[in-house]
Amino acid sequence: EKDIMKTMQLLPGVKSAGEGNSGFYVRGGSADQNLILLDEAPVYNASHLLGFFSVFNSDALKDVKLYKGGAPAEYGGRLSSVMDIKMKDGNAKQLSVSGGLGLISSKLTIEAPIVKDKGSFIVSGRRTYADLFLGFSNNPAAENSILYFYDLNAKANYRIGKNDRVFISGYFGRDKFGFSDQFGFDWGNATGTVRWNHLYSDRLFGNTSLIFSNYNYKIKFGSGDESFQIGSEIQDINFKEDFNFYINSN
């Protein structure tokens, strides 16, 4: 399985948070001191299957930048690092379909033009099917258990005029784990970004972005009248505008 988070752990100054954990330490900081962005939206829990996989489907990614110190001011900052991940824009020329079958998970990616050379989209989905094998167990508790994750990446862009282009992207993923009806744990991320890119002149352009991010989890214990549930959630809505001005060609 290709995994961008595992690749980052091979870089100097970056250390894995441990076996079976997609978190990472940068130059002595803790895992929560890293800012992880997917198309400008913060991702608060970047792991699947309790840390064995990251939430980032490599088939949907275009570019990754990791700042291990001195992060540019527009990111707002974190104590350790900033990881800025961009999704693919889609194939504006022709329909393209790719996929993969794996022992742990399978995935499918579709890219196509909305209008040729004017707009395009990409949809990429992934799901594990470890839970399907639990039905073969002789243990009744295991038969009624669940264990899987899924995620969906989608992005579209369209050129409105000569100087304007709109981008819409989103991510939705969830993990579910349950042992019989005695214990259950699930968590998930959802992000969404709408960005308007406008060219004011040959030397000046601006981006206006509306960004949504949500992370929540629930833990359930017991069944029937003796069951209880604990949950937590964090949700962000951000609006930002930035400009780039080039003094000359150099």
Side-chain angles (χ1 to χ4, degrees), residues 53-103:
F53 290 91
S54 77
V55 300
F56 304 114
N57 181 355
S58 296
D59 289 358
L61 304 185
K62 176 178 70 173
D63 180 57
V64 182
K65 293 179 181 176
L66 178 66
Y67 297 92
K68 293 182 288 185
E74 65 261 28
Y75 293 111
R78 278 292 196 277
L79 287 175
S80 279
S81 73
V82 174
M83 182 184 290
D84 187 10
I85 302 173
K86 303 294 186 187
M87 287 169 51
K88 290 179 180 177
D89 296 324
N91 192 328
K93 298 291 185 182
Q94 61 185 11
L95 173 66
S96 171
V97 180
S98 63
L101 294 173
L103 294 174

Side-chain angles (χ1 to χ4, degrees), residues 20-248:
N21 194 324
S22 63
F24 60 97
Y25 306 137
V26 177
R27 303 204 164 142
S30 62
D32 62 345
Q33 291 173 350
N34 304 308
L35 174 62
I36 301 174
L37 300 172
L38 179 63
D39 273 357
E40 303 180 86
V43 177
Y44 287 101
N45 187 340
S47 67
H48 278 314
L49 284 185
L50 301 174
F52 283 98
F53 290 91
S54 77
V55 300
F56 304 114
N57 181 355
S58 296
D59 289 358
L61 304 185
K62 176 178 70 173
D63 180 57
V64 182
K65 293 179 181 176
L66 178 66
Y67 297 92
K68 293 182 288 185
E74 65 261 28
Y75 293 111
R78 278 292 196 277
L79 287 175
S80 279
S81 73
V82 174
M83 182 184 290
D84 187 10
I85 302 173
K86 303 294 186 187
M87 287 169 51
K88 290 179 180 177
D89 296 324
N91 192 328
K93 298 291 185 182
Q94 61 185 11
L95 173 66
S96 171
V97 180
S98 63
L101 294 173
L103 294 174
I104 302 297
S105 66
S106 292
K107 51 194 174 182
L108 180 67
T109 302
I110 300 173
E111 301 179 65
I114 299 172
V115 176
K116 192 173 181 180
D117 295 327
K118 198 171 183 181
S120 61
F121 73 88
I122 177 173
V123 177
S124 184
R126 181 173 59 157
R127 191 192 191 279
T128 187
Y129 32 76
D131 54 316
L132 301 181
F133 297 101
L134 295 175
F136 296 106
S137 173
N138 295 324
N139 187 336
E143 287 183 26
N144 298 322
S145 298
I146 57 173
L147 173 63
Y148 67 89
F149 74 78
Y150 61 87
D151 51 40
L152 178 70
N153 294 75
K155 187 172 184 177
N157 73 91
Y158 191 79
R159 188 182 296 279
I160 299 173
K162 183 181 178 182
N163 298 323
D164 297 280
R165 185 182 284 269
V166 175
F167 298 83
I168 301 174
S169 65
Y171 166 86
F172 181 77
R174 193 139 204 102
D175 282 72
K176 285 186 175 288
F177 170 71
F179 180 72
S180 186
D181 57 355
Q182 300 302 310
F183 173 77
F185 182 30
D186 70 271
W187 70 93
N189 297 277
T191 71
T193 305
V194 178
R195 178 165 62 92
W196 167 45
N197 176 262
H198 178 67
L199 229 64
Y200 294 94
S201 70
D202 291 341
R203 296 193 295 168
L204 176 66
F205 72 89
N207 285 298
T208 304
S209 303
L210 181 63
I211 305 158
F212 169 83
S213 177
N214 177 277
Y215 167 67
N216 63 78
Y217 72 84
K218 291 182 289 185
I219 306 174
K220 179 186 175 186
F221 297 93
S223 61
D225 296 335
E226 298 180 352
S227 68
F228 68 95
Q229 185 171 285
I230 303 169
S232 183
E233 178 181 25
I234 182 168
Q235 183 169 292
D236 290 337
I237 298 176
N238 299 310
F239 175 81
K240 75 173 193 176
E241 189 163 18
D242 62 76
F243 297 93
N244 283 268
F245 180 72
Y246 296 94
I247 299 171
N248 54 48

